Amino acid sequence: MALHKILKIVALLLSIAGIIFLAMIIAKGDTAVAATGEGLDGFLYVAYITLAITLLFVLFFVLKGIFAGNIKSTLLSIGAFVIIVVISYVLADGTPMTMPEGEMLSESGSKWVGTGLYTFYIMAILAIGSMVFSGIKKVTK
């Protein structure tokens, strides 16, 4: 049996299971589910299985693409990303702070949260800049 047919069957089974668990949650009502969380386990397991399958296939095809394609450009892209993360880490402020729950966020935790935010900002600016540059280049042709 082809992989495509197997994936269609798995997707159909997960969809049916998700619909059944959603119907069970709806039948119990919002207040009952919100108060006890009862009935969410099955729905969450379907979501976890779907996420795991998706991650496995993404990882498989990314690794397949890396080894089948030009590994030099792949390593350059990974290196550029690592450089952006290092720049973000240097820019991030590692000030410990009290969270709303009363717990303390450590200096290291604060530094890594800042690193993630700065990495996101830099990557967003690069993405927007490349779209603008591409649009301007297309208009000028």
Side-chain angles (χ1 to χ4, degrees), residues 58-126:
V58 166
L59 184 64
F60 172 74
F61 285 111
V62 165
L63 291 176
K64 181 181 171 189
I66 286 174
F67 293 119
N70 186 357
I71 197 157
K72 181 180 177 183
S73 65
T74 302
L75 291 175
L76 284 173
S77 299
I78 292 172
F81 181 72
V82 168
I83 289 171
I84 290 172
V85 171
V86 168
I87 291 170
S88 300
Y89 186 79
V90 170
L91 291 174
D93 185 27
T95 307
M97 58 187 337
T98 305
M99 296 188 296
E101 297 86 27
E103 299 176 14
M104 281 295 290
L105 180 61
S106 68
E107 182 178 335
S108 173
S110 175
K111 184 92 168 167
W112 281 110
V113 168
T115 300
L117 289 171
Y118 279 121
T119 301
F120 171 76
Y121 298 149
I122 292 170
M123 296 296 285
I125 289 168
L126 289 174

